[in-house]
Amino acid sequence: MSRYTNLSHSELERMLSESERLLRADADTDTDYLLHNLQLHKIELEIQNRDLMESQKELENIRDQYAELYDFAPVGYLTLDKNGIINNLNISAAAMFGAERSRIVGRPLSTQLAPGMGRLLFDHLRHAFSSDQKVTADLALKTTSDGITRYVRADTIVHADLESQAHCLMNLIDTTERRRAEQAVIDERTFLQHVIDGVENPIMVISLDFKVLRMNEAAKRIATMQKIDPEHACCYQISHQVDRPCDGDDYPCPLKIVLQTRLPTKVTHNHISEFGTQRKYEVSVSPLFDDDGEIMGVIESSHDITEHLELLDELKERQLSYAHLAQHDALTGLPNRLLFADRLSQAIHVAHRNKSMLAVLFIDLDRFKEVNDSFNHATGDAVLKEVAERFQSLFREDDTIARMGGDEFTVILTHIKKDSNAALVAKKLLNLFKKPFTIQNHKLYLTASIGISLYPDHGESVDELVRNADTAMYRAKEEGRNTFQYYTLELTARAFERVFLASSLHNAISQNELILHYQPQIELITKEICGVEALVRWQNRDLGLLAPDKFIPLAEESEVIDEMGAWIMKEACQQMKAWQDSGILRSDMTISVNLSGKQFDHNNLLEEIEQTLTATGLSPDCLELEITETTMMRSTSVTSETLRKLRKLGVKVAVDDFGTGYSSLNYLKQLPITRLKIDKTFISDIPDDLNDVAISKAIIAMANNLLLDVLAEGIETGEQHQFLIQQGCRVGQGYLFARPMPSDQFESFIEQTPQG
């Protein structure tokens, strides 16, 4: 070993300089000169050796870095010879093929492809070797053992090495998900076409220039019968066999009406049927909006009402039908409120004379309004008719069931021997709802709430018995719905309490009894605060602190909600701005405020929000408005327009309690919302309830695919916290982190918690 081996590079440089000086100054003899010269060369060789070793080490580091980048790149890389033999590939490519790299190198690439791909690969490589440009091909890989076929896009370019041996470099990009998405779009369009083709009435999608953009099979049959080319047809050619649009009082143009009103409309026209005869049609037309909320056309559905009109004419000629129509519900055929009151009055007289009992059952369908909001009133009517048919199958001829209006039904049970007889009937009624209602290919699961009053215990007149049964029905709803309750004096006391609260609520704002509590929204991974939700409370001087579910419904019923909502919005924005200005919260954080359905319907909503933001100085992108799923779906055209205006203003929009309503995924995709909030009912039993686990996973995945933020409410356990993180939910709130708290407690909480 050289005695210079352990010296540093700088020490060797110093010795080299010293040796050069001695060589010039002290070489008195040839021997001295030779020794100095040898020493000089030895030091130079050692320096060169050191430089070489350092260069080699640096080269090895670069090579290792390149190998790591090559192996773990998200794109598959391969090197092929001109025969398609794999010379080399990275780990990503091997993963795409589903095999170890050592088993693939040296084998033809065609062995890793799906059957029938060999010829395509051959043509692709031949093209690559005959061109100096990158060439591209779409390939299908061999199906895996679990039946999955993956697709890749191959980009290939020919490269010649130092020995002029031509080979090609290929990169593979996995296109499986993109192809699946494209196929899903195709499948959805095909499915929608199948849906409208399954409707027996003619349906047409019409542009603003009356051109038919799409039609169902029923409309195509009419066009074919009239020898009209469906690809270049106008609506009036198919419907009326005329060469100009409808006009005048006799044939008003529904497209023009929709353009003027921006609302759906119905008109009655004489159309040519597919059998060539002239028939009366009810034409229902709805506006078709583009992404900017502008009308781009209409959807027209024609329903043959010839027989219906003929029947009405016949009924008008028969005076005997008037009495029945006056006393029976036109939709269900059941006795109406008038006939029910008459029969109940007679039953009371009989029970009084015989000293017997009778029962009145008041039945209300649970959340039936959501059916109409999510589908349409025709669907709701079909459900009500089937409900009536099921009820009729259960009762005796001397019992009366009536439709009081809307989704409310009443029953008179005569000759009952004891209280429990009415309960048995109520249970049978509830069992009728276990079977789903199949309406227009939709399976709907409904429940009902039933209130029971007894004669003579709960009243001796028609009004008393009906009113008390109605009160008991509301108690059943409060107990969780899908149940029945008897009337009690306690319920009357509660009714008085509601009246008291309603009257006190009018003074709650002026007497400064409303307060806001604040609940932090947490980044689930880092546990940092990333936002806050404002929640209203009522500090009633007699009843103490009341939660929103105790007074918000009353506020909506008594029209106090507008004034209360304006106060909540201003107070929340003002507090958020103060926290931002003082540095307690960052200036880019968002405060969430709940918006009731009544507020959302207010014509001046946008103007009020703009005024509030201007008055408080809060930036619009720091305000998030939360609307319920039911509010969102109530009137999609109006909702969409309001939401677009809010988003244009810069305000964020979240759907609260998502998953508890009947929202359409198609509307969800179209509406300009920014966040979904998973309802706490789906979080509370995670991970024990597999249904809640599946629903939560689906909502999170759907939100991520739609590029929407998602927030989980009601997180109370560490297991729920970890589950949501694993599923890709970024933000949450709940008692696990903090309860809603007054502003001063919230500020103390902030000081002890990091901000995201």
Side-chain angles (χ1 to χ4, degrees), residues 162-423:
L162 297 176
E163 298 173 352
S164 299
Q165 293 294 320
H167 60 275
C168 61
L169 305 177
M170 178 183 289
N171 65 59
L172 303 177
I173 298 176
D174 193 326
T175 60
T176 307
E177 295 305 321
R178 188 197 70 193
R179 290 171 67 100
R180 287 177 180 169
E182 292 172 349
Q183 186 61 44
V185 172
I186 295 173
D187 292 343
E188 182 180 4
R189 290 177 178 171
T190 303
F191 172 74
L192 291 176
Q193 186 63 48
H194 288 329
V195 169
I196 65 171
D197 284 344
V199 179
E200 63 180 7
N201 296 324
I203 297 176
M204 296 185 291
V205 179
I206 304 168
S207 65
L208 299 182
D209 59 355
F210 305 100
K211 297 292 184 183
V212 179
L213 304 178
R214 185 180 292 271
M215 65 179 73
N216 69 347
E217 282 297 324
K220 287 180 182 177
R221 287 196 297 269
I222 296 175
T224 302
M225 180 268 296
Q226 297 169 2
K227 298 181 180 180
I228 298 173
D229 181 6
E231 299 295 328
H232 303 90
C234 293
C235 56
Y236 47 82
Q237 293 174 321
I238 296 176
S239 302
H240 303 291
Q241 290 186 307
V242 296
D243 57 0
R244 59 186 179 84
C246 302
D247 196 12
D249 295 335
D250 294 335
Y251 290 97
C253 176
L255 173 58
K256 295 178 181 177
I257 296 174
V258 170
L259 287 175
Q260 292 171 357
T261 65
R262 297 179 63 84
L263 297 172
T265 188
K266 289 184 179 181
V267 297
T268 302
H269 279 184
N270 290 327
H271 280 191
I272 305 298
S273 74
E274 60 181 288
F275 303 106
T277 59
Q278 192 173 73
R279 309 278 290 180
K280 284 281 187 182
Y281 278 82
E282 180 183 68
V283 183
S284 300
V285 184
S286 300
L288 182 63
F289 294 98
D290 60 19
D291 291 339
D292 296 324
E294 298 299 324
I295 296 178
M296 58 183 292
V298 295
I299 303 171
E300 177 183 296
S301 174
S302 301
H303 176 56
D304 190 338
I305 58 172
T306 307
E307 282 79 9
H308 177 70
L309 294 177
E310 291 174 352
L311 179 60
L312 289 180
D313 291 340
E314 184 178 346
L315 289 175
K316 290 177 182 178
E317 295 173 0
R318 297 184 180 183
Q319 297 297 324
L320 294 178
S321 300
Y322 288 162
H324 183 273
L325 292 174
Q327 294 183 329
H328 288 79
D329 174 53
L331 177 66
T332 63
L334 295 175
N336 60 13
R337 183 186 296 269
L338 181 64
L339 183 55
F340 173 84
D342 180 68
R343 290 187 180 179
L344 179 55
S345 177
Q346 295 179 33
I348 291 173
H349 286 302
V350 172
H352 176 72
R353 184 172 61 249
N354 297 335
K355 299 187 183 306
S356 59
M357 295 178 62
L358 68 82
V360 173
L361 276 62
F362 198 107
I363 309 160
D364 187 272
L365 305 186
D366 295 330
R367 298 191 176 97
F368 180 76
K369 185 175 182 297
E370 296 176 1
V371 175
N372 283 331
D373 290 344
S374 300
F375 296 95
N376 52 50
H377 287 284
T379 302
D381 289 347
V383 171
L384 292 174
K385 289 176 68 176
E386 186 169 342
V387 168
E389 291 171 1
R390 294 187 187 186
F391 284 174
Q392 286 176 308
S393 68
L394 187 64
F395 291 98
R396 302 169 300 185
E397 290 183 0
D398 55 346
D399 291 325
T400 296
I401 177 168
R403 183 186 178 207
M404 303 295 278
D407 59 331
E408 296 177 341
F409 299 82
T410 50
V411 176
I412 305 171
L413 298 178
T414 57
H415 308 303
I416 62 172
K417 302 298 182 183
K418 52 185 178 179
D419 300 13
S420 59
N421 293 150

Side-chain angles (χ1 to χ4, degrees), residues 511-546:
Q511 295 179 1
N512 296 320
E513 292 182 350
L514 293 182
I515 58 174
L516 290 186
H517 282 192
Y518 302 90
Q519 186 174 32
Q521 297 171 340
I522 304 297
E523 178 75 42
L524 294 181
I525 295 178
T526 63
K527 296 185 180 179
E528 297 174 334
I529 294 176
C530 58
V532 57
E533 181 178 6
L535 301 161
V536 67
R537 300 288 187 267
W538 181 11
Q539 187 65 55
N540 185 274
R541 63 182 62 185
D542 298 312
L543 301 176
L545 189 66
L546 300 178

